[in-house]
Amino acid sequence: MICITCMRPVDSLYTVYSNDHIQLTDCPYCQETVDKYVEIDNVLLFIDLLLLKAGAYRHLVFNALELHLSKYPKRKALNDCQCLRDYTQALLFNVKNWFCKYDRLNRLWLLLLSFEIYLTWVTEESKYIYYLNRNNNDGKLIMLSKKLPESFKWDSAIMRNTITSKVFTWSPPIQYLYFASYCILDVSLFHTFTQYFILKKLHWKHYSVSSKDVISYTILLSYGAKIFPILMLIWPYDTLISMSIIKWVANLYIIESLKIVTNLSYWNIIKIFISVSLLRYFMVKPILIVFVAKFNFSVIKNLIHQEFILLLQKSGTYLLL
Ligand SMILES: [Zn+2]
């Protein structure tokens, strides 16, 4: 347990008296209430999360998580098992325990991932149509593009040879499978690399709850910013502009929530975020290209070349605008 204001360890969050009267504990270090969110209902807690209130994040990530995880037994050590039977029983126990322990978190991940898959699918489709119909005479691009090398000039024909154009020739269920793999891979890499950089490179550690669980839960909560569009059903949320706004808002939430929870400097968090984003960008699509090309080397080479040209053209456009 920690105080959500000064983040110092405390023994308890509240005291229960004989007449069921509950009194919240005051922090011996900063004199504030240790965790006022114990008494606040979930709707207000959710609003405070959206408003990026530090206390709300610390309550959920440290105190509520510790309380929830402490209800379940610890995992059994497999090294101590004498025979195969013991080993199998311990393994089954650990798997069952893991599913019960992380049931609520896994459900939340499933909800966020299904939403993420839909948004990615719509974004890619809109981008594909937009870039396919775009021509070289678009606005400011005309005058300045003459100074650029040929590969920077916009050529909409390039879109017909990319991995996206290949995917959109498939049936909708297979397309869904592709975007589901894309999102699962992307989120897993984001998760793994962020944990690696914060825990192994910056040696950040939390004394009571597992530090890995803390980072994982923080990422999950900040991903919740993507649920914003659900609240805005009355507006068209699946347009290119609103989706890029949501993406940037979600990125800000991730940076701010990691800062709130780990107390590391903004500079360190931003460095980690940029490194992880670059790693994701250069890993997710190439891995999927290998599978889409069915391990055929010449097809892989061609698709990667097309993606590179597309990247050059896009960066050329951004440089001009
Ligand atoms: Zn305090």
Side-chain angles (χ1 to χ4, degrees), residues 94-104 106:
N94 284 347
V95 173
K96 202 178 156 197
N97 191 36
W98 185 87
F99 274 106
C100 295
K101 212 170 168 180
Y102 294 101
D103 181 55
R104 212 193 303 166
N106 290 341

Side-chain angles (χ1 to χ4, degrees), residues 36-102:
K36 63 177 181 179
Y37 286 94
V38 170
E39 281 190 330
I40 291 177
D41 70 273
N42 287 340
V43 179
L44 291 176
L45 180 64
F46 179 66
I47 293 171
D48 277 1
L49 275 181
L50 290 182
L51 295 172
L52 281 169
K53 294 260 179 89
Y57 271 90
R58 288 174 189 156
H59 161 75
L60 277 174
V61 168
F62 295 109
N63 297 342
L65 186 69
E66 187 180 341
L67 209 66
H68 174 74
L69 295 183
S70 64
K71 288 178 195 160
Y72 298 91
K74 284 195 171 163
R75 64 189 293 276
K76 286 184 178 171
L78 297 176
N79 295 340
D80 301 341
C81 301
Q82 305 293 334
C83 60
L84 186 67
R85 192 166 160 265
D86 284 355
Y87 186 87
T88 322
Q89 273 181 350
L91 191 70
L92 282 174
F93 172 82
N94 284 347
V95 173
K96 202 178 156 197
N97 191 36
W98 185 87
F99 274 106
C100 295
K101 212 170 168 180
Y102 294 101

Side-chain angles (χ1 to χ4, degrees), residues 3 6 27 30:
C3 160
C6 63
C27 174
C30 66

Side-chain angles (χ1 to χ4, degrees), residues 3 5-8 27 29-32:
C3 160
T5 313
C6 63
M7 289 184 79
R8 288 198 175 102
C27 174
Y29 307 102
C30 66
Q31 317 309 327
E32 294 285 330

Side-chain angles (χ1 to χ4, degrees), residues 165-182:
S165 67
K166 226 176 164 52
V167 171
F168 285 125
T169 57
W170 300 340
S171 64
I174 311 287
Q175 282 183 37
Y176 185 84
L177 272 181
Y178 168 83
F179 287 109
S181 329
Y182 182 96

Side-chain angles (χ1 to χ4, degrees), residues 43-255:
V43 179
L44 291 176
L45 180 64
F46 179 66
I47 293 171
D48 277 1
L49 275 181
L50 290 182
L51 295 172
L52 281 169
K53 294 260 179 89
Y57 271 90
R58 288 174 189 156
H59 161 75
L60 277 174
V61 168
F62 295 109
N63 297 342
L65 186 69
E66 187 180 341
L67 209 66
H68 174 74
L69 295 183
S70 64
K71 288 178 195 160
Y72 298 91
K74 284 195 171 163
R75 64 189 293 276
K76 286 184 178 171
L78 297 176
N79 295 340
D80 301 341
C81 301
Q82 305 293 334
C83 60
L84 186 67
R85 192 166 160 265
D86 284 355
Y87 186 87
T88 322
Q89 273 181 350
L91 191 70
L92 282 174
F93 172 82
N94 284 347
V95 173
K96 202 178 156 197
N97 191 36
W98 185 87
F99 274 106
C100 295
K101 212 170 168 180
Y102 294 101
D103 181 55
R104 212 193 303 166
L105 300 185
N106 290 341
R107 281 164 196 260
L108 262 174
W109 269 119
L110 209 64
L111 173 79
L112 289 179
L113 267 175
S114 16
F115 198 64
E116 175 86 358
I117 294 166
Y118 169 71
L119 274 186
T120 314
W121 194 354
V122 179
T123 319
E124 287 298 317
E125 200 170 29
S126 317
K127 271 190 195 164
Y128 176 68
I129 295 166
Y130 171 73
Y131 286 129
L132 199 64
N133 297 325
R134 172 180 201 149
N135 56 54
N136 231 344
N137 301 328
D138 270 359
K140 296 171 191 168
L141 199 63
I142 309 169
M143 297 173 291
L144 296 164
S145 64
K146 285 170 190 160
K147 296 174 197 160
L148 284 168
E150 205 51 42
S151 55
F152 275 87
K153 285 186 185 174
W154 190 259
D155 172 17
S156 53
I158 192 89
M159 286 309 289
R160 293 195 187 92
N161 302 314
T162 54
I163 181 171
T164 327
S165 67
K166 226 176 164 52
V167 171
F168 285 125
T169 57
W170 300 340
S171 64
I174 311 287
Q175 282 183 37
Y176 185 84
L177 272 181
Y178 168 83
F179 287 109
S181 329
Y182 182 96
C183 293
I184 291 168
L185 189 62
D186 189 43
V187 170
S188 317
L189 287 179
F190 178 64
H191 216 98
T192 317
F193 286 129
T194 311
Q195 276 184 346
Y196 172 77
F197 283 121
I198 293 181
L199 304 180
K200 302 278 179 209
K201 291 283 168 192
L202 298 177
H203 307 289
W204 182 82
K205 216 164 124 187
H206 183 62
Y207 72 99
S208 60
V209 199
S210 145
S211 307
K212 265 189 170 185
D213 286 342
V214 167
I215 303 292
S216 169
Y217 197 23
T218 311
I219 295 173
L220 172 66
L221 289 177
S222 49
Y223 250 79
K226 293 197 174 179
I227 292 190
F228 261 149
I230 296 180
L231 305 171
M232 306 193 298
L233 274 178
I234 47 169
W235 291 298
Y237 60 87
D238 47 5
T239 59
L240 267 182
I241 293 180
S242 55
M243 276 187 293
S244 44
I245 293 172
I246 291 165
K247 209 171 144 190
W248 279 105
V249 169
N251 289 343
L252 288 177
Y253 267 73
I254 290 167
I255 293 173

